[in-house]
Amino acid sequence: MADHVRWGILGAAKFARDHMGPALNAARRGRLAAIATSSEEKAAPFAALAPGLAVHLDYDALLADPDIDAVYIPLPNHMHVEWTLKALEAGKHVLVEKPMAMQAEQFDEVIAKRDATGLIAAEAYMVVHHPQWVKAKELFEAGAIGKIRRVSVAFSYDNSADGGNIRNRPETGGGAIPDIGVYAYGTVRFVTGEEPEDILSTCIERQNGVDVWSHITARFPSFHYTGVVSMRMAPFQEVVFHGDGGVMRLTAPFNAAVYGEAAVEVQDNALEVRRWRFPAANHYVHQVEAFNASVLDGAPYPCPLEFSKGTQEMIDMIWKADRG
């Protein structure tokens, strides 16, 4: 391997074109080197971004490319485990879009393959690489809000007009909870270091076989959780950690710079407010740089598969509770 990671992308997804492709190319010690897609036309925007880009017309051809060190997988959810395993078997490091799997037990085969190959495999859970969330965890652990009692999360957007979107299709692993519930649940676990003990209530609305709106309450060891995620509401996102010594609020916690400016606000019991702003941070670039450091230097990856499996375990608990 050279002094940088040579990246390939499986599929010309819009998200890859708009966010992760640029991040792969902008991150230090990395370069976007190849894409696998069904046509040169779909590859064109990526080629414009990365001159000299190799274009493969099927996924297996990219995995066989000896000039590629790592692959980013933005395929539909139900294809993530299959192609992660294939990439690892082909000797490539893997960064795969969330959710990695549709059930927690599916992580086990990927973890075993990661360990057997000695390669890096991780879910693209970019938010925990953002300095906003790093600061929130630091403040929480320092006791900035005292003893935690309540966490409230809201994350919504509206894609009702896009019936063909993979998020609106059950056969591709669609639904709001697999798409954005991972953020509503995983970030709370990240900051507090706690795991849910029980799902107290579920109220889930479904359309065409996928969840489009849900209100979930859960009991964690130290606090009560309440959260709404939806693909049928006006765009909104906010996370609030409420303790006996203060309140911590995160603005634009999941789509920093797209939804708005990422910031952390802490209000103490005297109603005094401290605020930390992060207007320029790009969590996609930070994520890729962390991955590159793991590949090149052997640095521990900040968001291992074991953490991602824990979020899926909470989702599995929600599905089980909703079935009664």
Side-chain angles (χ1 to χ4, degrees):
M1 186 183 297
D3 60 353
H4 63 279
V5 177
R6 299 166 297 181
W7 283 91
I9 301 177
L10 295 188
K14 181 180 185 297
F15 182 79
R17 183 177 72 241
D18 294 345
H19 297 289
M20 281 300 294
L24 292 171
N25 221 36
R28 291 171 296 177
R29 308 174 76 194
R31 173 173 72 87
L32 177 57
I35 187 168
T37 185
S38 59
S39 72
E40 295 279 353
E41 182 181 359
K42 290 181 179 179
F46 296 88
L49 174 70
L53 185 80
V55 178
H56 298 285
L57 297 182
D58 67 70
Y59 302 154
D60 288 311
L62 187 148
L63 296 185
D65 187 339
D67 294 326
I68 296 302
D69 306 308
V71 296
Y72 165 64
I73 302 178
L75 299 173
N77 296 343
H78 71 297
M79 301 173 70
H80 289 174
V81 169
E82 174 190 359
W83 283 98
T84 297
L85 291 171
K86 287 182 177 181
L88 290 171
E89 289 166 358
K92 311 300 185 188
H93 303 281
V94 184
L95 183 64
V96 60
E97 265 309 319
K98 51 79 200 161
M100 158 71 80
M102 305 309 298
Q103 292 88 34
E105 63 186 19
Q106 294 177 314
F107 276 85
D108 295 337
E109 186 176 4
V110 179
I111 290 171
K113 182 67 70 174
R114 176 202 66 186
D115 293 346
T117 60
L119 296 164
I120 308 299
E123 186 180 67
Y125 198 63
M126 76 291 182
V127 287
V128 298
H129 302 274
H130 198 290
Q132 177 194 37
W133 281 103
V134 174
K135 185 65 176 180
K137 184 175 179 66
E138 173 189 308
L139 289 165
F140 179 85
E141 292 177 346
I145 62 170
K147 181 181 178 181
I148 185 71
R149 299 299 302 272
R150 178 185 72 92
V151 178
S152 175
V153 179
F155 189 7
S156 62
Y157 64 92
D158 186 356
N159 72 351
S160 56
D162 188 4
N165 190 294
I166 60 172
R167 296 164 184 82
N168 286 320
R169 295 164 53 194
E171 68 272 19
T172 55
I177 288 176
D179 184 41
I180 57 178
V182 292
Y183 297 126
Y185 315 142
T187 52
V188 173
R189 297 175 51 248
F190 173 73
V191 169
T192 66
E194 295 192 10
E195 302 293 344
E197 295 180 328
D198 190 23
I199 304 301
L200 301 176
S201 67
T202 64
C203 183
I204 300 177
E205 176 186 339
R206 291 178 171 83
Q207 295 177 10
N208 190 39
V210 301
D211 65 286
V212 298
W213 182 93
S214 66
H215 177 239
I216 305 299
T217 64
R219 182 176 61 246
F220 283 71
S222 301
F223 61 92
H224 184 277
Y225 169 91
T226 180
V228 171
V229 299
S230 177
M231 304 190 299
R232 296 295 185 270
M233 295 174 70
F236 182 74
Q237 47 190 264
E238 181 183 66
V239 181
V240 176
F241 296 86
H242 195 167
D244 61 7
V247 179
M248 180 167 65
R249 173 176 173 263
L250 282 77
T251 64
F254 309 121
N255 297 120
V258 176
Y259 178 77
E261 182 182 85
V264 180
E265 298 175 351
V266 173
Q267 175 185 295
D268 63 21
N269 284 351
L271 303 184
E272 293 183 359
V273 177
R274 292 177 291 163
R275 195 168 194 260
W276 295 263
R277 300 170 56 244
F278 307 95
N282 184 313
H283 46 203
Y284 302 114
V285 172
H286 289 311
Q287 173 181 247
V288 177
E289 290 179 344
F291 195 98
N292 290 345
S294 293
V295 171
L296 297 171
D297 306 330
Y301 190 66
C303 190
L305 289 177
E306 287 80 359
F307 173 84
S308 297
K309 179 182 177 181
T311 299
Q312 186 60 49
E313 286 173 340
M314 182 171 177
I315 293 175
D316 290 353
M317 291 171 66
I318 290 168
W319 297 141
K320 183 178 180 180
D322 189 58
R323 289 193 297 268

